[in-house]
Amino acid sequence: MRTSVLLPALLLASGTFSGCFLSHDDDDDSVDGDADTDADSDTDADTDTDADTDTDTDSDADGDGDGDIEPCPPPRPVQAVDLLVVVDNSNSMNQEQASLTQNFGVLVEQLTNPQDLDGDGSIDRDAVTDLHVGVINGDMGTGGYAVMTCDDAVDGDDGRLLHSPSPAIAGCDDDYPSFLSFEEGDDPEDVADDFDCVANLGVGGCGFQQPLGAIRKALTTHADGANAGFLRDLSVLAVVIYTDGDDCSIREDLANSTDIFNTDLALGPLTLRCFNHRDQYIAPVEEFVESLLDLRRCDPENLVVAGIVGIPPDSNCNLTDMTDADFQCLLDHPMMQEVIDNSAEGQGERLVPSCDVPGLGEADPPRRIVDLIRQIDQETGGGSVQSICQADFAPVYREVSERIRAATDR
């Protein structure tokens, strides 16, 4: 029987279908008696002998109006890892979900029991001795509109950690904590077994997958509520996005952004709405990049984001220790371009797949997800993209674990 990994006794309060600091003054546009030009937009014109051009102590990074910036502590060693796995549960993910969970043990083993992979006679990296593993999906609802396969039309699962056992997996416990935990002395296989039970979400979930919006909700809105205890202040935050589609996270600054789900509106096929109406209804990727970076404002190197997504498995782009040029190689690849599929199979109601491997399923071009990871990597060096269209996920997990372990070693 599978044994549930117990939480520590005390927790510190975390397919499509198929800090920056803001300067702020509290001086009510005061004039300092100088006829000088204002360099910092606070109308006190700092070109005279007071010479404080843009060095006002009035920044308010946390937005609480007190004008103070909480200083960052000195760099500290980090061995704790909070791993958030985002699993697509839409109809096209049956084969891919099985591959995800069957190989997850490789990732846990690489993190908790590292080996001498380079053959120099010594272990490559220190072991992770404190690991949280949480699972969410990309179902954020459809704004109250009834859409086939979207059970909760209002909120979906809304980025809340999922921990119900899968009925498709034999030997699971009756219930699991909201997230799984590993501490030194625990058996890594227990974590892998429990992950198998909670991450096999099944298919039939909402076709409008919003993984980036779900990640933001999971790590911010629900961090002190439904997901309390998962995300810690001093940890490497690692996010793995697992989907055969692209992101369709709607805008929160637009009252009618949920119109994209309204089947009574003449917006074309549901399967193409996130593509055809992106500029109007879909949130810019940069919003989610900023949200993630803000979670590790003082230690950006402690942020790792990886995507196991629908990039072509034979792209000939380098996927190891990726550089900006490598990400651009993927984005420029012919199979990664968004083209409506007017073939007999596509019938103008889908995009041409970016990968289609018999027995392994097919995927849409994940341009938004790749772009997000590219931007994160530019700031943290912790980005990785791997293909979901392959049979053996062991090399994929080794690369993901390398990015996480590199962060703990900095």
Side-chain angles (χ1 to χ4, degrees):
M1 180 173 179
R2 301 174 187 271
T3 303
S4 174
V5 180
L6 297 178
L7 292 174
L10 294 177
L11 290 177
L12 299 179
S14 149
T16 328
F17 263 72
S18 5
C20 61
F21 301 121
L22 299 178
S23 181
H24 173 71
D25 267 314
D26 296 319
D27 45 10
D28 297 324
D29 293 347
S30 60
V31 179
D32 58 5
D34 310 306
D36 42 6
T37 303
D38 193 334
D40 59 357
S41 301
D42 57 2
T43 71
D44 67 0
D46 297 322
T47 58
D48 52 64
T49 55
D50 60 9
D52 72 349
T53 51
D54 289 318
T55 58
D56 305 344
T57 57
D58 51 10
S59 295
D60 184 17
D62 56 6
D64 61 4
D66 62 5
D68 297 324
I69 299 176
E70 184 177 345
C72 291
R76 296 162 289 178
V78 176
Q79 283 300 308
V81 174
D82 297 331
L83 173 60
L84 182 68
V85 185
V86 191
V87 182
D88 184 340
N89 66 332
S90 62
N91 281 332
S92 59
M93 284 290 294
N94 192 38
Q95 295 163 314
E96 291 92 337
Q97 277 192 31
S99 297
L100 165 71
T101 57
Q102 288 169 3
N103 292 273
F104 187 75
V106 175
L107 176 57
V108 176
E109 180 72 13
Q110 288 288 319
L111 293 175
T112 62
N113 187 26
Q115 306 296 311
D116 177 20
L117 297 179
D118 57 13
D120 65 355
S122 61
I123 301 300
D124 293 339
R125 301 187 185 279
D126 293 336
V128 172
T129 57
D130 187 357
L131 175 65
H132 287 178
V133 181
V135 176
I136 63 173
N137 62 33
D139 184 354
M140 298 289 288
T142 51
Y145 294 107
V147 176
M148 187 180 300
T149 77
C150 301
D151 292 336
D152 187 338
V154 178
D155 296 318
D157 289 303
D158 201 45
R160 295 180 179 90
L161 293 172
L162 305 173
H163 51 95
S164 297
S166 170
I169 307 298
C172 294
D173 290 348
D174 293 334
D175 193 20
Y176 291 91
S178 59
F179 57 90
L180 307 176
S181 297
F182 171 88
E183 292 183 330
E184 191 170 16
D186 291 339
D187 188 346
E189 291 188 6
D190 288 341
V191 180
D193 286 346
D194 291 346
F195 181 82
D196 194 12
C197 287
V198 300
N200 268 289
L201 303 181
V203 294
C206 189
F208 284 102
Q209 289 286 302
Q210 305 182 58
L212 303 189
I215 293 166
R216 180 165 63 183
K217 273 289 190 75
L219 299 175
T220 58
T221 305
H222 298 312
D224 296 323
N227 300 344
F230 171 73
L231 180 62
R232 295 163 288 185
D233 291 334
L234 188 59
S235 69
V236 170
L237 170 58
V239 179
V240 178
I241 306 169
Y242 192 80
T243 179
D244 62 0
D246 202 3
D247 173 72
C248 186
S249 297
I250 62 172
R251 294 171 55 178
E252 295 185 350
D253 63 338
L254 186 68
N256 69 333
S257 62
T258 56
D259 281 355
I260 196 172
F261 308 124
N262 188 347
T263 56
D264 292 332
L265 297 180
L267 298 178
L270 287 173
T271 49
L272 287 176
R273 289 190 176 189
C274 298
F275 167 65
N276 286 332
H277 304 284
R278 178 179 301 156
D279 291 345
Q280 183 175 358
Y281 296 119
I282 306 303
V285 168
E286 289 73 18
E287 285 188 15
F288 304 105
V289 173
E290 184 175 340
S291 294
L292 282 167
L293 290 174
D294 191 55
L295 292 171
R296 290 295 178 262
R297 176 180 63 86
C298 291
D299 304 290
E301 66 277 7
N302 290 344
L303 175 63
V304 175
V305 182
I308 303 176
V309 292
I311 63 171
D314 53 355
S315 67
N316 293 321
C317 299
N318 173 57
L319 303 181
T320 302
D321 196 14
M322 296 176 69
T323 66
D324 197 62
D326 298 326
F327 286 101
Q328 195 62 50
C329 176
L330 287 175
L331 292 169
D332 290 343
H333 193 282
M335 295 300 294
M336 285 286 289
Q337 308 314 304
E338 296 169 307
V339 180
I340 294 177
D341 186 357
N342 289 311
S343 69
E345 186 174 1
Q347 298 183 15
E349 294 191 353
R350 72 174 191 180
L351 297 177
V352 174
S354 51
C355 63
D356 186 357
V357 180
L360 298 177
E362 61 186 33
D364 291 338
R367 294 188 61 85
R368 282 171 56 84
I369 296 175
V370 172
D371 187 30
L372 172 124
I373 297 174
R374 176 186 65 85
Q375 293 186 51
I376 293 292
D377 188 76
Q378 289 173 342
E379 301 295 329
T380 74
S384 177
V385 179
Q386 303 292 317
S387 179
I388 200 172
C389 297
Q390 53 190 310
D392 184 7
F393 272 47
V396 172
Y397 280 133
R398 290 193 184 100
E399 177 59 24
V400 173
S401 68
E402 183 63 21
R403 299 278 64 76
I404 297 173
R405 296 308 313 281
T408 63
D409 284 355
R410 290 183 179 126

